[in-house]
Amino acid sequence: MTPDLGPYAGTVLGAYGVTLLLLGGLVLVSVLRAGRVRRALARLEAGRARDG
Amino acid sequence: MSLWRYANPAEFMRVSGAALPACWALAAAALGAGLAWGFFLTPDDYQQGATVKILFLHVPAALMAINAWLMMLVASLIWFIRRHHVSALAARAAAPVGATMTVVALATGALWGQPMWGTWWVWDPRLTSFFILFVFYLGYIALWEAIDDPDKAADLTAITCVVGSVFALLSRYAVFFWSQGLHQGPSLSLDRQENVHDVFYWPLVLCIAGFVLLFVSLVLLRTRTEIRLRRMRALEAIEARG
């Protein structure tokens, strides 16, 4: 199943590795930040609702 | 029904919240299928050997690097003309995604160029304009971070975006303007004769769809975050005033 990449194995796998690392990292950072901000806003709004 | 109703933050949050799960699922499916097809099921190229598999990363990333900037340009112009905050925040949200796509295109291009051209980098018109586009991305992101007043930041970054669009377009068309570069012509064309071979064409189209859907998902998610941050700052300002 795994293709024979011959002398270019390092080049091709490196390209896929760098891409997956960069895009995966961007998705992870974006999702974590979105969750953090959503929770912080919910806390702020809950505090305001409590204080009237 | 008017498109402008999505400029209302509450409406944008409602519609984007409903659309996001489907966008993520479609992005994962298209990217997974396209990359698996391209990596495992396509043959080596008769000239480039196995390095042709980098095509499925490099072309979609380069395409999105340019189109992300053009999306930011449209959003910036909407901000200029109609002063919709959501459009300014969408442009801000798209910048790190476009910058990452540019790094992916530059990195995969360097990795591909080394065995094919015998060099990681050359000051070829397309590569140079792409590098300048990356610098514009960094400047755009830095400008947003540097200015406290969000409206002033939106104005100045929108101007940066308009100026940078010259390089976004140059990145796309440099190969037509200057013929002395090492970089080949476009891999996809409306002229079937100029397209890559069919065996590479369909997985490439699927990968491009995957990158577009990933970009849309990330921009929607990040715009929602920017809208929430803006609301938080507004609430904190109200509390600070007592």
Side-chain angles (χ1 to χ4, degrees), chain A residues 2-41:
Chain A
T2 306
D4 176 16
L5 302 173
Y8 302 122
T11 302
V12 176
L13 293 176
Y16 276 77
V18 165
T19 303
L20 295 179
L21 198 71
L22 285 168
L23 295 183
L26 179 66
V27 169
L28 189 69
V29 166
S30 301
V31 168
L32 290 178
R33 182 165 174 258
R36 206 168 48 239
V37 170
R38 191 180 61 240
R39 285 190 296 276
L41 179 60

Side-chain angles (χ1 to χ4, degrees), chain B residues 110-129:
Chain B
L111 282 163
W112 202 357
Q114 208 285 328
M116 293 301 107
W117 299 341
T119 180
W120 301 96
W121 180 263
V122 61
W123 293 101
D124 159 289
R126 178 171 268 193
L127 274 67
T128 305
S129 54

Side-chain angles (χ1 to χ4, degrees), chain B residues 141-165:
Chain B
I141 294 167
L143 203 53
W144 264 111
E145 296 297 328
I147 300 170
D148 285 335
D149 178 353
D151 284 7
K152 189 182 281 182
D155 283 339
L156 292 176
T157 53
I159 293 168
T160 308
C161 193
V162 172
V163 176
S165 298

Side-chain angles (χ1 to χ4, degrees), chain B residues 136-196:
Chain B
F136 263 93
Y137 268 119
L138 295 184
Y140 181 93
I141 294 167
L143 203 53
W144 264 111
E145 296 297 328
I147 300 170
D148 285 335
D149 178 353
D151 284 7
K152 189 182 281 182
D155 283 339
L156 292 176
T157 53
I159 293 168
T160 308
C161 193
V162 172
V163 176
S165 298
V166 174
F167 293 97
L169 290 172
L170 268 183
S171 309
R172 173 71 183 83
Y173 295 108
V175 282
F176 300 119
F177 298 151
W178 296 284
S179 57
Q180 75 270 29
L182 270 180
H183 199 285
Q184 69 186 58
S187 302
L188 294 176
S189 165
L190 293 176
D191 181 353
R192 194 174 167 78
Q193 292 296 317
E194 291 181 13
N195 261 335
V196 290

